[in-house]
Amino acid sequence: MTNTQTMTSAETLARQVIAHFEAGEIERIGDLVTEDFVDHGAPPWMPRGREAYVGTMRWLKDVLRVRYEVAQVVAQGDWVAARAIVHGVSTSDHLGFPPTGRPFAMETMHLYVVRDGLLAEHWGVRDELGALWQCGALPTPAPPPEFLSAGA
């Protein structure tokens, strides 16, 4: 960002979430979201609200030990979108397979909306299938023969 550019409040809040996450300051993320925060990207059994979001972020940091590499952030008004690469290692059996110990780099997109100066909702899209292939939980499929012969 150049000196002439300024961040919107939505962008500032989203970047602060990532900064607190990376610094291990997970409890501080709660100061950035509404009490009734809705994480549309969370599993359907996950409760809603600030406490649940902070708990999810704590689990990502402490159990999965992921880190975020922010690639782009785009903000307009009360909306902010961020593309990030999540780096981690398969260390948990939470998806029903034993941990492989192998690393992964998962493409993600995050969309937040701000209400009353705080992040109020989040939608997350993750390339979980690609991460499962990378960490060896699923075999990487071979290209179909018709694809390989298409240029011949």
Side-chain angles (χ1 to χ4, degrees), residues 43-123:
W45 43 260
M46 179 66 80
R48 294 184 176 196
R50 175 183 292 147
E51 187 176 320
Y53 188 62
V54 170
T56 297
M57 299 299 271
R58 186 180 307 105
W59 184 78
L60 289 170
K61 185 71 169 177
D62 295 347
V63 175
L64 295 186
R65 296 180 286 184
V66 301
R67 69 178 176 80
Y68 284 85
E69 175 188 345
V70 177
Q72 283 95 25
V73 177
V74 178
Q76 183 175 355
D78 291 338
W79 293 87
V80 61
R83 183 177 76 83
I85 301 163
V86 175
H87 298 273
V89 175
S90 172
T91 60
S92 169
D93 64 358
H94 73 283
L95 293 176
F97 61 87
T100 66
R102 290 176 52 186
F104 62 88
M106 179 174 56
E107 290 279 349
T108 65
M109 290 289 298
H110 303 272
L111 179 66
Y112 289 97
V113 65
V114 173
R115 185 180 73 233
D116 299 327
L118 296 173
L119 297 171
E121 295 183 67
H122 168 259
W123 292 261

